[in-house]
Amino acid sequence: MFKDDYRKEMENISANEKFKQDTISLMNQKKSELQQKETNTVKFRPALYRKIAATVAVAMLSLAVFAYSQSDFAIGPDRTETEKFTQQENEDITKDKDTYDNLPYDAAANGKMMRVYTVNDAVEINAIPQENQQKTKIYFNTQSTGGFGFEGYMYYSSSELEQNPTYSINDSFDTLPVYQFVSLSAEEIRKEVAMNCSKLGSGDTDLQFTWQRNIYDDDCYVKNCETAITFNSNIPSEEYYLSTVDGTLIQTYPERKELGKVSVWMPNSWYNVTLDRVISQSRDEMEIAKAVTAEYPGIFWGEDTTYGSWYDYTFTGNANTSVFAYKPSDDYGENIFNYSVNNIDIAQFAVSDEDSTWDETFIRLPLPCYSKMDDLPAINWQQALDQMYSGNYFTSAPKQITEDTVVTHIELVYLEPPYDIPTLSRKGYSIPFYRFFVDLGEEYQRQTDKGIMKTYGAYYVCAVHPDYVQLDDGYYRFN
């Protein structure tokens, strides 16, 4: 049944007034019973609830007159963006996403029914008694990063933010692991790169080590730097620090030829390998990733290898997709860490934008820079919301958080520690953060041929209990 025909038929239905009132009374009674049993149950505004109840009463009568398929369309409450959904409703919505996508009206314009989060969801954090506190306390520094680029993601629908399978607001945990970053020596990098490059078919890897020495002025600011290049891992002198490692992968048998390039930048916890060959002619990123895994199983985790993907859109409305592989873990926090940080990116590229065929394969491999430091007490998403609404967050988005701010989606991710610009080295810990997505409004919307794209800014709140982390001033005044 088409939408307009359906509406005309519904307008012609006249329900018995007593039946409607009895139905509404029964629903109100059930609502009161549920609120007594569940402290976190959804709260409807009275006017909206009566509207929903009346709609259901009419819909019940319509079922006696019309037969329809649930796979074609569904009748749902007319909720505003600020209305919250129960856990069961969220599960049903998630389960029926494909059905909702195929509604006989413009789903892109109406959007999926998505739960949002407001200041009413926030819960204060209780301090941990001194006698129960552990000795470990970590420090998170934002001042030495040199700043983050504007972190905004463009999507046609808020439902597209739901891409991370490793976290749900329904998950329960008391602690989360924290990982310490330890810079590798030049020799450790050489061995790691050579080991994995041999698994990629390289019999030899010619590496070039670029070192830097800072030259300071009278005020101790870095005025300039001096560069030295070696073809081994020996440091030229104590004043130098390692900046980059670059090299060529060489096949030695049956003939000597170049296979690709390798590049390491010291502040990163990974290195890039670009192979001068194409593993798959597919245009599907996931199929490419699986083909690369099958071609070079030695750099992955066998049957444990799990794939993740992420996308947003370019200004022209084209999907910007990346696919990566990671090793799942039974440890909840480690699983999120592997998904967020300790993974392998896989892609294929064409050297020329005019060429429609692939020319090279790109693989980003992790360096073994992280070691687990401790499991620390964590806060839940509701407590993190309270921190955000209290101003205890950092972001590069231009919109300030107020009591009226609506959060569209919540993730739990690990961020890498910042790096120190003068020495080009990371220092500190990889810490879990709640990432809150907020619609930045009409000013940041973009019209394309496919519709209107909204921009969602990312706002971060540390997931470690505040009694166990020290945050610098840059965290609170990041933007």
Side-chain angles (χ1 to χ4, degrees), residues 53-72:
T55 302
V56 173
V58 175
M60 291 173 64
L61 288 180
S62 70
L63 291 177
V65 181
F66 302 106
Y68 62 87
S69 169
Q70 188 176 0
S71 62
D72 292 333

mmCIF file with all atom_site columns, all heavy atoms in Angstrom, residues 53-72:
data_model
loop_
_atom_site.group_PDB
_atom_site.id
_atom_site.type_symbol
_atom_site.label_atom_id
_atom_site.label_alt_id
_atom_site.label_comp_id
_atom_site.label_asym_id
_atom_site.label_entity_id
_atom_site.label_seq_id
_atom_site.pdbx_PDB_ins_code
_atom_site.Cartn_x
_atom_site.Cartn_y
_atom_site.Cartn_z
_atom_site.occupancy
_atom_site.B_iso_or_equiv
_atom_site.pdbx_formal_charge
_atom_site.auth_seq_id
_atom_site.auth_comp_id
_atom_site.auth_asym_id
_atom_site.auth_atom_id
_atom_site.pdbx_PDB_model_num
ATOM 1   N N   . ALA A 1 53 ? -0.334  6.847  22.500 1.00 0.00 ? 53 ALA A N   1
ATOM 2   C CA  . ALA A 1 53 ? -1.383  5.905  22.899 1.00 0.00 ? 53 ALA A CA  1
ATOM 3   C C   . ALA A 1 53 ? -2.567  5.983  21.958 1.00 0.00 ? 53 ALA A C   1
ATOM 4   O O   . ALA A 1 53 ? -3.133  4.960  21.562 1.00 0.00 ? 53 ALA A O   1
ATOM 5   C CB  . ALA A 1 53 ? -1.820  6.221  24.329 1.00 0.00 ? 53 ALA A CB  1
ATOM 6   N N   . ALA A 1 54 ? -2.981  7.188  21.598 1.00 0.00 ? 54 ALA A N   1
ATOM 7   C CA  . ALA A 1 54 ? -4.102  7.346  20.686 1.00 0.00 ? 54 ALA A CA  1
ATOM 8   C C   . ALA A 1 54 ? -3.777  6.773  19.315 1.00 0.00 ? 54 ALA A C   1
ATOM 9   O O   . ALA A 1 54 ? -4.612  6.127  18.682 1.00 0.00 ? 54 ALA A O   1
ATOM 10  C CB  . ALA A 1 54 ? -4.461  8.825  20.557 1.00 0.00 ? 54 ALA A CB  1
ATOM 11  N N   . THR A 1 55 ? -2.552  6.975  18.868 1.00 0.00 ? 55 THR A N   1
ATOM 12  C CA  . THR A 1 55 ? -2.129  6.432  17.583 1.00 0.00 ? 55 THR A CA  1
ATOM 13  C C   . THR A 1 55 ? -2.191  4.914  17.588 1.00 0.00 ? 55 THR A C   1
ATOM 14  O O   . THR A 1 55 ? -2.642  4.287  16.631 1.00 0.00 ? 55 THR A O   1
ATOM 15  C CB  . THR A 1 55 ? -0.689  6.877  17.262 1.00 0.00 ? 55 THR A CB  1
ATOM 16  O OG1 . THR A 1 55 ? -0.638  8.295  17.260 1.00 0.00 ? 55 THR A OG1 1
ATOM 17  C CG2 . THR A 1 55 ? -0.236  6.357  15.906 1.00 0.00 ? 55 THR A CG2 1
ATOM 18  N N   . VAL A 1 56 ? -1.731  4.300  18.697 1.00 0.00 ? 56 VAL A N   1
ATOM 19  C CA  . VAL A 1 56 ? -1.769  2.845  18.808 1.00 0.00 ? 56 VAL A CA  1
ATOM 20  C C   . VAL A 1 56 ? -3.206  2.345  18.810 1.00 0.00 ? 56 VAL A C   1
ATOM 21  O O   . VAL A 1 56 ? -3.533  1.317  18.221 1.00 0.00 ? 56 VAL A O   1
ATOM 22  C CB  . VAL A 1 56 ? -1.034  2.389  20.076 1.00 0.00 ? 56 VAL A CB  1
ATOM 23  C CG1 . VAL A 1 56 ? -1.216  0.889  20.280 1.00 0.00 ? 56 VAL A CG1 1
ATOM 24  C CG2 . VAL A 1 56 ? 0.450   2.720  19.959 1.00 0.00 ? 56 VAL A CG2 1
ATOM 25  N N   . ALA A 1 57 ? -4.102  3.066  19.481 1.00 0.00 ? 57 ALA A N   1
ATOM 26  C CA  . ALA A 1 57 ? -5.501  2.643  19.530 1.00 0.00 ? 57 ALA A CA  1
ATOM 27  C C   . ALA A 1 57 ? -6.091  2.602  18.135 1.00 0.00 ? 57 ALA A C   1
ATOM 28  O O   . ALA A 1 57 ? -6.784  1.653  17.760 1.00 0.00 ? 57 ALA A O   1
ATOM 29  C CB  . ALA A 1 57 ? -6.302  3.609  20.413 1.00 0.00 ? 57 ALA A CB  1
ATOM 30  N N   . VAL A 1 58 ? -5.825  3.641  17.352 1.00 0.00 ? 58 VAL A N   1
ATOM 31  C CA  . VAL A 1 58 ? -6.329  3.665  15.983 1.00 0.00 ? 58 VAL A CA  1
ATOM 32  C C   . VAL A 1 58 ? -5.666  2.592  15.146 1.00 0.00 ? 58 VAL A C   1
ATOM 33  O O   . VAL A 1 58 ? -6.290  1.919  14.342 1.00 0.00 ? 58 VAL A O   1
ATOM 34  C CB  . VAL A 1 58 ? -6.103  5.062  15.355 1.00 0.00 ? 58 VAL A CB  1
ATOM 35  C CG1 . VAL A 1 58 ? -6.524  5.060  13.893 1.00 0.00 ? 58 VAL A CG1 1
ATOM 36  C CG2 . VAL A 1 58 ? -6.872  6.119  16.130 1.00 0.00 ? 58 VAL A CG2 1
ATOM 37  N N   . ALA A 1 59 ? -4.361  2.398  15.377 1.00 0.00 ? 59 ALA A N   1
ATOM 38  C CA  . ALA A 1 59 ? -3.633  1.379  14.612 1.00 0.00 ? 59 ALA A CA  1
ATOM 39  C C   . ALA A 1 59 ? -4.180  -0.007 14.892 1.00 0.00 ? 59 ALA A C   1
ATOM 40  O O   . ALA A 1 59 ? -4.251  -0.854 14.009 1.00 0.00 ? 59 ALA A O   1
ATOM 41  C CB  . ALA A 1 59 ? -2.149  1.441  14.946 1.00 0.00 ? 59 ALA A CB  1
ATOM 42  N N   . MET A 1 60 ? -4.580  -0.262 16.146 1.00 0.00 ? 60 MET A N   1
ATOM 43  C CA  . MET A 1 60 ? -5.148  -1.574 16.488 1.00 0.00 ? 60 MET A CA  1
ATOM 44  C C   . MET A 1 60 ? -6.441  -1.818 15.716 1.00 0.00 ? 60 MET A C   1
ATOM 45  O O   . MET A 1 60 ? -6.702  -2.931 15.257 1.00 0.00 ? 60 MET A O   1
ATOM 46  C CB  . MET A 1 60 ? -5.393  -1.654 17.996 1.00 0.00 ? 60 MET A CB  1
ATOM 47  C CG  . MET A 1 60 ? -4.112  -1.709 18.832 1.00 0.00 ? 60 MET A CG  1
ATOM 48  S SD  . MET A 1 60 ? -4.429  -1.603 20.602 1.00 0.00 ? 60 MET A SD  1
ATOM 49  C CE  . MET A 1 60 ? -5.355  -3.123 20.830 1.00 0.00 ? 60 MET A CE  1
ATOM 50  N N   . LEU A 1 61 ? -7.263  -0.790 15.571 1.00 0.00 ? 61 LEU A N   1
ATOM 51  C CA  . LEU A 1 61 ? -8.488  -0.951 14.797 1.00 0.00 ? 61 LEU A CA  1
ATOM 52  C C   . LEU A 1 61 ? -8.181  -1.192 13.328 1.00 0.00 ? 61 LEU A C   1
ATOM 53  O O   . LEU A 1 61 ? -8.856  -1.986 12.660 1.00 0.00 ? 61 LEU A O   1
ATOM 54  C CB  . LEU A 1 61 ? -9.356  0.308  14.930 1.00 0.00 ? 61 LEU A CB  1
ATOM 55  C CG  . LEU A 1 61 ? -10.038 0.520  16.298 1.00 0.00 ? 61 LEU A CG  1
ATOM 56  C CD1 . LEU A 1 61 ? -10.848 1.801  16.259 1.00 0.00 ? 61 LEU A CD1 1
ATOM 57  C CD2 . LEU A 1 61 ? -10.926 -0.652 16.641 1.00 0.00 ? 61 LEU A CD2 1
ATOM 58  N N   . SER A 1 62 ? -7.148  -0.498 12.859 1.00 0.00 ? 62 SER A N   1
ATOM 59  C CA  . SER A 1 62 ? -6.817  -0.629 11.442 1.00 0.00 ? 62 SER A CA  1
ATOM 60  C C   . SER A 1 62 ? -6.387  -2.042 11.095 1.00 0.00 ? 62 SER A C   1
ATOM 61  O O   . SER A 1 62 ? -6.559  -2.481 9.961  1.00 0.00 ? 62 SER A O   1
ATOM 62  C CB  . SER A 1 62 ? -5.723  0.358  11.052 1.00 0.00 ? 62 SER A CB  1
ATOM 63  O OG  . SER A 1 62 ? -4.503  -0.009 11.635 1.00 0.00 ? 62 SER A OG  1
ATOM 64  N N   . LEU A 1 63 ? -5.833  -2.755 12.065 1.00 0.00 ? 63 LEU A N   1
ATOM 65  C CA  . LEU A 1 63 ? -5.392  -4.123 11.808 1.00 0.00 ? 63 LEU A CA  1
ATOM 66  C C   . LEU A 1 63 ? -6.563  -5.025 11.458 1.00 0.00 ? 63 LEU A C   1
ATOM 67  O O   . LEU A 1 63 ? -6.411  -6.027 10.770 1.00 0.00 ? 63 LEU A O   1
ATOM 68  C CB  . LEU A 1 63 ? -4.644  -4.673 13.018 1.00 0.00 ? 63 LEU A CB  1
ATOM 69  C CG  . LEU A 1 63 ? -3.288  -4.021 13.299 1.00 0.00 ? 63 LEU A CG  1
ATOM 70  C CD1 . LEU A 1 63 ? -2.688  -4.621 14.567 1.00 0.00 ? 63 LEU A CD1 1
ATOM 71  C CD2 . LEU A 1 63 ? -2.357  -4.217 12.129 1.00 0.00 ? 63 LEU A CD2 1
ATOM 72  N N   . ALA A 1 64 ? -7.752  -4.700 11.959 1.00 0.00 ? 64 ALA A N   1
ATOM 73  C CA  . ALA A 1 64 ? -8.935  -5.500 11.661 1.00 0.00 ? 64 ALA A CA  1
ATOM 74  C C   . ALA A 1 64 ? -9.443  -5.241 10.256 1.00 0.00 ? 64 ALA A C   1
ATOM 75  O O   . ALA A 1 64 ? -10.225 -6.009 9.723  1.00 0.00 ? 64 ALA A O   1
ATOM 76  C CB  . ALA A 1 64 ? -10.043 -5.195 12.670 1.00 0.00 ? 64 ALA A CB  1
ATOM 77  N N   . VAL A 1 65 ? -9.027  -4.119 9.664  1.00 0.00 ? 65 VAL A N   1
ATOM 78  C CA  . VAL A 1 65 ? -9.521  -3.735 8.356  1.00 0.00 ? 65 VAL A CA  1
ATOM 79  C C   . VAL A 1 65 ? -8.504  -4.027 7.268  1.00 0.00 ? 65 VAL A C   1
ATOM 80  O O   . VAL A 1 65 ? -8.842  -4.470 6.193  1.00 0.00 ? 65 VAL A O   1
ATOM 81  C CB  . VAL A 1 65 ? -9.873  -2.223 8.345  1.00 0.00 ? 65 VAL A CB  1
ATOM 82  C CG1 . VAL A 1 65 ? -10.416 -1.807 6.980  1.00 0.00 ? 65 VAL A CG1 1
ATOM 83  C CG2 . VAL A 1 65 ? -10.884 -1.919 9.440  1.00 0.00 ? 65 VAL A CG2 1
ATOM 84  N N   . PHE A 1 66 ? -7.187  -3.773 7.616  1.00 0.00 ? 66 PHE A N   1
ATOM 85  C CA  . PHE A 1 66 ? -6.138  -3.920 6.606  1.00 0.00 ? 66 PHE A CA  1
ATOM 86  C C   . PHE A 1 66 ? -5.171  -5.025 6.992  1.00 0.00 ? 66 PHE A C   1
ATOM 87  O O   . PHE A 1 66 ? -4.828  -5.157 8.148  1.00 0.00 ? 66 PHE A O   1
ATOM 88  C CB  . PHE A 1 66 ? -5.350  -2.613 6.439  1.00 0.00 ? 66 PHE A CB  1
ATOM 89  C CG  . PHE A 1 66 ? -6.217  -1.442 6.067  1.00 0.00 ? 66 PHE A CG  1
ATOM 90  C CD1 . PHE A 1 66 ? -6.525  -0.456 6.990  1.00 0.00 ? 66 PHE A CD1 1
ATOM 91  C CD2 . PHE A 1 66 ? -6.734  -1.353 4.790  1.00 0.00 ? 66 PHE A CD2 1
ATOM 92  C CE1 . PHE A 1 66 ? -7.330  0.604  6.643  1.00 0.00 ? 66 PHE A CE1 1
ATOM 93  C CE2 . PHE A 1 66 ? -7.525  -0.279 4.437  1.00 0.00 ? 66 PHE A CE2 1
ATOM 94  C CZ  . PHE A 1 66 ? -7.840  0.699  5.371  1.00 0.00 ? 66 PHE A CZ  1
ATOM 95  N N   . ALA A 1 67 ? -4.718  -5.768 6.026  1.00 0.00 ? 67 ALA A N   1
ATOM 96  C CA  . ALA A 1 67 ? -3.633  -6.742 6.228  1.00 0.00 ? 67 ALA A CA  1
ATOM 97  C C   . ALA A 1 67 ? -2.416  -6.218 5.492  1.00 0.00 ? 67 ALA A C   1
ATOM 98  O O   . ALA A 1 67 ? -2.494  -5.843 4.332  1.00 0.00 ? 67 ALA A O   1
ATOM 99  C CB  . ALA A 1 67 ? -4.032  -8.111 5.653  1.00 0.00 ? 67 ALA A CB  1
ATOM 100 N N   . TYR A 1 68 ? -1.300  -6.171 6.215  1.00 0.00 ? 68 TYR A N   1
ATOM 101 C CA  . TYR A 1 68 ? -0.107  -5.659 5.554  1.00 0.00 ? 68 TYR A CA  1
ATOM 102 C C   . TYR A 1 68 ? 1.097   -6.449 6.027  1.00 0.00 ? 68 TYR A C   1
ATOM 103 O O   . TYR A 1 68 ? 1.075   -7.090 7.061  1.00 0.00 ? 68 TYR A O   1
ATOM 104 C CB  . TYR A 1 68 ? 0.082   -4.166 5.830  1.00 0.00 ? 68 TYR A CB  1
ATOM 105 C CG  . TYR A 1 68 ? 0.275   -3.829 7.278  1.00 0.00 ? 68 TYR A CG  1
ATOM 106 C CD1 . TYR A 1 68 ? 1.534   -3.857 7.859  1.00 0.00 ? 68 TYR A CD1 1
ATOM 107 C CD2 . TYR A 1 68 ? -0.825  -3.487 8.074  1.00 0.00 ? 68 TYR A CD2 1
ATOM 108 C CE1 . TYR A 1 68 ? 1.695   -3.543 9.198  1.00 0.00 ? 68 TYR A CE1 1
ATOM 109 C CE2 . TYR A 1 68 ? -0.668  -3.174 9.409  1.00 0.00 ? 68 TYR A CE2 1
ATOM 110 C CZ  . TYR A 1 68 ? 0.583   -3.208 9.961  1.00 0.00 ? 68 TYR A CZ  1
ATOM 111 O OH  . TYR A 1 68 ? 0.754   -2.888 11.284 1.00 0.00 ? 68 TYR A OH  1
ATOM 112 N N   . SER A 1 69 ? 2.165   -6.364 5.240  1.00 0.00 ? 69 SER A N   1
ATOM 113 C CA  . SER A 1 69 ? 3.399   -7.076 5.551  1.00 0.00 ? 69 SER A CA  1
ATOM 114 C C   . SER A 1 69 ? 4.331   -6.184 6.329  1.00 0.00 ? 69 SER A C   1
ATOM 115 O O   . SER A 1 69 ? 4.595   -5.061 5.954  1.00 0.00 ? 69 SER A O   1
ATOM 116 C CB  . SER A 1 69 ? 4.086   -7.518 4.250  1.00 0.00 ? 69 SER A CB  1
ATOM 117 O OG  . SER A 1 69 ? 5.375   -7.983 4.511  1.00 0.00 ? 69 SER A OG  1
ATOM 118 N N   . GLN A 1 70 ? 4.875   -6.685 7.443  1.00 0.00 ? 70 GLN A N   1
ATOM 119 C CA  . GLN A 1 70 ? 5.808   -5.912 8.260  1.00 0.00 ? 70 GLN A CA  1
ATOM 120 C C   . GLN A 1 70 ? 7.089   -5.599 7.505  1.00 0.00 ? 70 GLN A C   1
ATOM 121 O O   . GLN A 1 70 ? 7.772   -4.634 7.790  1.00 0.00 ? 70 GLN A O   1
ATOM 122 C CB  . GLN A 1 70 ? 6.139   -6.669 9.538  1.00 0.00 ? 70 GLN A CB  1
ATOM 123 C CG  . GLN A 1 70 ? 6.952   -5.850 10.527 1.00 0.00 ? 70 GLN A CG  1
ATOM 124 C CD  . GLN A 1 70 ? 7.182   -6.604 11.802 1.00 0.00 ? 70 GLN A CD  1
ATOM 125 O OE1 . GLN A 1 70 ? 6.740   -7.734 11.946 1.00 0.00 ? 70 GLN A OE1 1
ATOM 126 N NE2 . GLN A 1 70 ? 7.880   -5.982 12.729 1.00 0.00 ? 70 GLN A NE2 1
ATOM 127 N N   . SER A 1 71 ? 7.414   -6.407 6.526  1.00 0.00 ? 71 SER A N   1
ATOM 128 C CA  . SER A 1 71 ? 8.635   -6.146 5.780  1.00 0.00 ? 71 SER A CA  1
ATOM 129 C C   . SER A 1 71 ? 8.480   -4.975 4.821  1.00 0.00 ? 71 SER A C   1
ATOM 130 O O   . SER A 1 71 ? 9.458   -4.434 4.328  1.00 0.00 ? 71 SER A O   1
ATOM 131 C CB  . SER A 1 71 ? 9.037   -7.394 4.979  1.00 0.00 ? 71 SER A CB  1
ATOM 132 O OG  . SER A 1 71 ? 8.035   -7.715 4.043  1.00 0.00 ? 71 SER A OG  1
ATOM 133 N N   . ASP A 1 72 ? 7.234   -4.568 4.554  1.00 0.00 ? 72 ASP A N   1
ATOM 134 C CA  . ASP A 1 72 ? 7.001   -3.448 3.651  1.00 0.00 ? 72 ASP A CA  1
ATOM 135 C C   . ASP A 1 72 ? 7.071   -2.115 4.380  1.00 0.00 ? 72 ASP A C   1
ATOM 136 O O   . ASP A 1 72 ? 7.672   -1.166 3.912  1.00 0.00 ? 72 ASP A O   1
ATOM 137 C CB  . ASP A 1 72 ? 5.641   -3.578 2.966  1.00 0.00 ? 72 ASP A CB  1
ATOM 138 C CG  . ASP A 1 72 ? 5.616   -4.749 1.999  1.00 0.00 ? 72 ASP A CG  1
ATOM 139 O OD1 . ASP A 1 72 ? 6.701   -5.094 1.486  1.00 0.00 ? 72 ASP A OD1 1
ATOM 140 O OD2 . ASP A 1 72 ? 4.533   -5.298 1.777  1.00 0.00 ? 72 ASP A OD2 1
#
